[in-house]
Each structure stands twice: as C-alpha cells, then as structure tokens.
Amino acid sequence: MWFTTPAKLNRAGVVGINERNGNLIMRYNERRLYPLVDNKILTKQLAEEAGMAVPKLYAVIETQHDVARLETILEGREQFVMKPAHGSGGDGILVIENVTAKGLRRHDGTHLSFDEARYHASTTLSGQYSLGGLPDKLMVEYRVQFDPLFEKISYQGVPDIRVIVFQGYPVMSMVRLPTRVSGGKANLHQGAIGVGIDLSTGTTTSGSIGNEIIAEHPDTGNAISGLTLPGWQSILELAARCFDITGLGYLGVDIVLDKERGALILELNARPGLNIQIANFVGLGARIDALRSRVRQPESAEARVAHARQAFAQ
C-alpha cells in the first residue's frame, strides 16, 4: 500500500472522481448518446455497420416466452456467453463451456441446470443486472477464444484491453487479467489485475490489484511486465474509431484478442473508471490537457493514434 496527499496527486495530474464526472463525462459525453454504449446490442450493431470486428451475436432472449424456449434457442450451441444487454461491472455474465444432458457447463467446471439457466434468464429480463434496474434483454454471443499470449499471466476467463479515448485520441491503456479472486472475470472491482501498457510500444509495464502495486500474477507467479501485445497499432485504431461511431468524447473501449479472429470490440463505457491511472502509475490529467487544443483539428484515426503513440510514450 502506498500513501500520498491530494496536493501531490493534483500535481501529478491524477484525475479524481469529481473531476472525471464534472470535467470529462458531463462536458464531453452528451447524455442523449449514452444508449449507444449502455445498450450492448446497439453498440454491436454500430460497430458492425462500420466494419469493426465484434463477437458474433447468436440470439437475443427478450420475453418470458423466449425464456421458456431456452433449450430450443441454445440447441446446437457448444461454447457461448450469456450477457445482459444493459449490464455493468461483469455482473450476470455466464461463460458456457459446453451443453450436456445435465445442463450448461460453465468455464469454471460447475454446472447450471436448465431450470437454473431459465431462472437466470428470467431475472436478467426483469432487470436484476441492468443499469438502474430497468427491464433488460439477454444476449447469447460467441465465446472469445483468448490468445495464448496471456496463458502464463491469467487465471481462467478472458483478459481484455481497456483503452481510454479522449476526443478520438487514445490517452491511456491497460490489460485486465482475471484471477482466482475475480472468479475468472476481467473486472478490477471483483479482484482482477490492471496492468499498465506503454502506449508507444504496446508493452506491459506495472500492475495493480485494487490500490496495491504488484509485479507478478498472484495465481501463476509469472511476471506481468514486459509482454508486447501483437497488432498494437490496429488495437489503438480500433479504439480511436469508437469515438467516430458514438460521438462520445470520453470513452472506455474494451477489446479482446481472439486467437483466430484477432482484436474484437467487447463493449464501450461512457463512464470508465480511474484505476487505470494506478495500473500505469501515471495521471490522466496531463495527457488530456495536452490534447485539448489539438482536438479542434479533425484528423483520421490513424493520425490520432500516431500522435498519441509519440506523445504518450513511457
């Protein structure tokens, strides 16, 4: 655990929750645009229309009649993910390894009977996992086959790459690694690891669990720094283009690396968290301030990424 003062954090350009809400989210994200990212079905449609790769959508369960037909809807499927369309924080997501006579076998080896799966689907539709508790839909989509690059520094689940994009420019990134504590989920609030990435090279640097700085994955014992992500330019361009399709000026873009399909957009977030600063040991404020005047000049995604890689090398 490390300690410091608010004054030192301010001088280091660390963005706090009030500044994020007032000077970034409220200022750069028009509320009318939120549904484009809060609704994962709509996000997927937008990305596909722009020719951007996403996990394939197999089915959408929208009504209790659909819930009753769950076995029929899932017939012929082996590996897939069931996800609330308006979920957040990784809650309500089921990763299914295969379908057996007993029901659905999850990624951690546990089984879910069809009755339990129908109950999960029904509660999802009622808003159990949605933002604001509003009625929701349940997506059934392709299960990402994660790149073996992460085998030595991940526990079950699928690691993902979070890129913070300001007015179309990538400003900071990290890879989120599932752990035993997080239950195989890449969610920092559930115990996953955030590992900073040098924006210039795509190489992992420092890492953290919560507010603790770490050098090794707690479950595998392997070092988490020094790993260079393949196709880094393409990953950043994919993230930068999400500004073009949503119009949101302050955006968290989550990308996964599939071993067969490459980089896929998993989801977008109009209220991205701030732990990425701990993972990178760098404040967001100075980087965003450096871009405020530049964003008045329209540039292509390629040019925006080229500038960010040069300006924010660590």
Side-chain angles (χ1 to χ4, degrees):
M1 181 74 73
W2 50 275
F3 298 94
T4 187
T5 65
K8 287 183 178 178
L9 290 175
N10 189 49
R11 285 196 295 274
V14 174
V15 173
I17 191 72
N18 290 335
E19 184 179 358
R20 182 201 70 163
N21 293 343
N23 292 335
L24 294 174
I25 294 176
M26 291 183 66
R27 183 173 178 183
Y28 293 101
N29 290 350
E30 295 182 42
R31 182 163 290 277
R32 66 181 178 83
L33 300 176
Y34 282 20
L36 301 180
V37 297
D38 287 346
N39 183 340
K40 296 176 177 60
I41 298 173
L42 190 52
T43 303
K44 198 181 289 283
Q45 290 172 349
L46 277 177
E48 288 181 328
E49 288 170 5
M52 301 162 75
V54 295
K56 182 177 176 59
L57 182 65
Y58 293 148
V60 178
I61 297 170
E62 302 184 52
T63 66
Q64 295 300 331
H65 177 69
D66 292 338
V67 172
R69 297 175 51 248
L70 187 64
E71 288 179 65
T72 302
I73 292 172
L74 299 180
E75 191 173 354
R77 301 290 177 198
E78 283 298 321
Q79 297 188 345
F80 52 86
V81 174
M82 302 171 75
K83 176 188 295 185
H86 290 81
S88 66
D91 292 334
I93 296 176
L94 296 179
V95 180
I96 305 303
E97 187 76 24
N98 61 353
V99 181
T100 71
K102 295 169 59 179
L104 310 180
R105 183 173 180 272
R106 301 177 64 183
H107 68 288
D108 58 3
T110 61
H111 276 81
L112 206 64
S113 70
F114 283 111
D115 281 343
E116 290 170 325
R118 278 190 286 271
Y119 178 76
H120 177 80
S122 181
T123 56
T124 299
L125 265 56
S126 69
Q128 176 76 25
Y129 308 107
S130 73
L131 290 165
L134 299 174
D136 203 357
K137 299 176 182 178
L138 181 63
M139 305 162 60
V140 181
E141 68 175 21
Y142 170 77
R143 181 192 175 189
V144 173
Q145 307 297 315
F146 81 85
D147 194 298
L149 177 76
F150 297 112
E151 276 183 353
K152 293 183 178 179
I153 54 171
S154 183
Y155 178 82
Q156 298 182 343
V158 178
D160 68 14
I161 302 162
R162 161 64 62 89
V163 183
I164 298 294
V165 177
F166 176 70
Q167 297 288 75
Y169 291 81
V171 291
M172 196 168 287
S173 182
M174 67 176 167
V175 59
R176 300 185 295 192
L177 303 172
T179 65
R180 185 187 301 271
V181 172
S182 75
K185 295 181 179 177
N187 187 287
L188 299 187
H189 297 294
Q190 295 180 345
I193 301 171
V195 184
I197 301 176
D198 183 332
L199 213 60
S200 175
T201 64
T203 302
T204 57
T205 56
S206 55
S208 65
I209 295 182
N211 294 329
E212 299 281 349
I213 304 299
I214 62 169
E216 300 171 345
H217 193 288
D219 301 315
T220 71
N222 292 309
I224 55 177
S225 63
L227 183 71
T228 299
L229 304 185
W232 185 233
Q233 176 72 17
S234 298
I235 291 171
L236 291 181
E237 287 182 13
L238 201 58
R241 290 176 61 197
C242 289
F243 166 71
D244 301 325
I245 64 171
T246 65
L248 289 163
Y250 179 67
L251 190 62
V253 180
D254 297 340
I255 294 172
V256 289
L257 295 183
D258 184 272
K259 67 180 180 182
E260 295 180 355
R261 299 190 59 203
L264 306 175
I265 295 175
L266 195 60
E267 55 187 66
L268 309 181
N269 192 323
R271 316 163 191 81
L274 297 169
N275 279 46
I276 194 169
Q277 299 176 110
I278 300 174
N280 280 275
F281 229 61
V282 175
L284 275 167
R287 296 187 178 191
I288 288 174
D289 287 344
L291 288 171
R292 289 188 195 274
S293 60
R294 187 180 181 90
V295 297
R296 296 170 187 160
Q297 303 295 328
E299 292 185 294
S300 67
E302 293 83 355
R304 298 195 301 262
V305 169
H307 175 77
R309 293 185 70 174
Q310 182 177 31
F312 305 133
Q314 291 178 224

